[in-house]
Amino acid sequence: MAKMSPEQKTLQEDMAPGSLTLDGFLGDDPRSIEEIIREDETFLQREGVEIKDIVMALKAFTFKGVEGLGDPVPVGDYEVSVEHFRGWQYCPFKHKKKVSKRNTKLVDKRTGKELYWSDLSLHLIEAHGFFQGKGAHFRMEPETILEVLRLERSESEE
């Protein structure tokens, strides 16, 4: 592993359990934040899927789920529910971004597979390409996202 700058070291420490959040953002993943981002980015490039397409789809489901006021909402082959909590969450990358404490659960009714994310998760993916470390509570495996959302190679990649 390459030597970390003081900023990278502070970010790595802030993302550990108990620093900014109880569970942290890294799970039990031994990789650096940069390695996590790079490996997920490499996977998505290989699959020809862009982060913007993932985020757009996930946000659309969140907005549909909000309509249910906490109850599950059917959306085609999916069921989505959204939980709201009071307060804000702040981006650990320290650029003064705050997002609502809101969690979304998406169930693929065809397969029974689920995705679960927070608004902060969406921000971390969209702004930083960070899907969180393996074992983290809100880690979304890119492979699972593509499978559940049935996302395929972007037209610009064909």
Side-chain angles (χ1 to χ4, degrees):
M1 180 191 303
K3 184 173 172 147
M4 286 190 236
S5 70
E7 294 82 15
Q8 291 170 319
K9 188 173 190 265
T10 298
L11 180 60
Q12 195 85 19
E13 290 168 355
D14 284 349
M15 289 204 184
S19 182
L20 298 177
T21 67
L22 180 63
D23 295 326
F25 301 91
L26 300 174
D28 53 10
D29 201 325
R31 300 174 296 167
S32 71
I33 294 162
E34 291 78 15
E35 289 172 307
I36 294 167
I37 291 170
R38 186 173 48 254
E39 288 179 26
D40 289 338
E41 182 180 85
T42 299
F43 170 79
L44 292 174
Q45 286 174 346
R46 190 172 57 246
E47 294 298 314
V49 176
E50 296 183 25
I51 283 178
K52 69 178 179 58
D53 297 324
I54 291 170
V55 172
M56 189 170 61
L58 295 174
K59 282 183 177 180
F61 279 116
T62 294
F63 293 135
K64 281 290 188 188
V66 167
E67 296 171 8
L69 301 172
D71 291 329
V73 175
V75 181
D77 289 334
Y78 302 93
E79 184 175 87
V80 61
S81 54
V82 174
E83 300 173 290
H84 290 271
F85 303 94
R86 294 179 70 169
W88 302 96
Q89 291 180 302
Y90 293 87
C91 178
F93 284 89
K94 307 242 189 310
H95 61 108
K96 298 189 175 152
K97 175 69 175 181
K98 70 178 182 178
V99 296
S100 173
K101 284 187 177 182
R102 179 171 59 188
N103 299 336
T104 303
K105 178 181 174 184
L106 180 69
V107 178
D108 182 341
K109 294 188 287 189
R110 277 201 231 164
T111 65
K113 291 196 175 196
E114 299 179 359
L115 294 175
Y116 185 68
W117 65 90
S118 68
D119 282 11
L120 183 57
S121 299
L122 289 182
H123 167 75
L124 293 173
I125 293 167
E126 182 175 36
H128 307 286
F130 184 58
F131 290 80
Q132 302 188 43
K134 293 188 184 290
H137 181 69
F138 284 101
R139 165 74 181 177
M140 294 175 61
E141 290 294 340
E143 297 102 306
T144 305
I145 294 171
L146 301 188
E147 183 181 343
V148 172
L149 297 180
R150 297 186 256 294
L151 289 178
E152 298 178 359
R153 187 170 289 277
S154 297
E155 289 180 22
S156 62
E157 296 288 323
E158 292 180 344

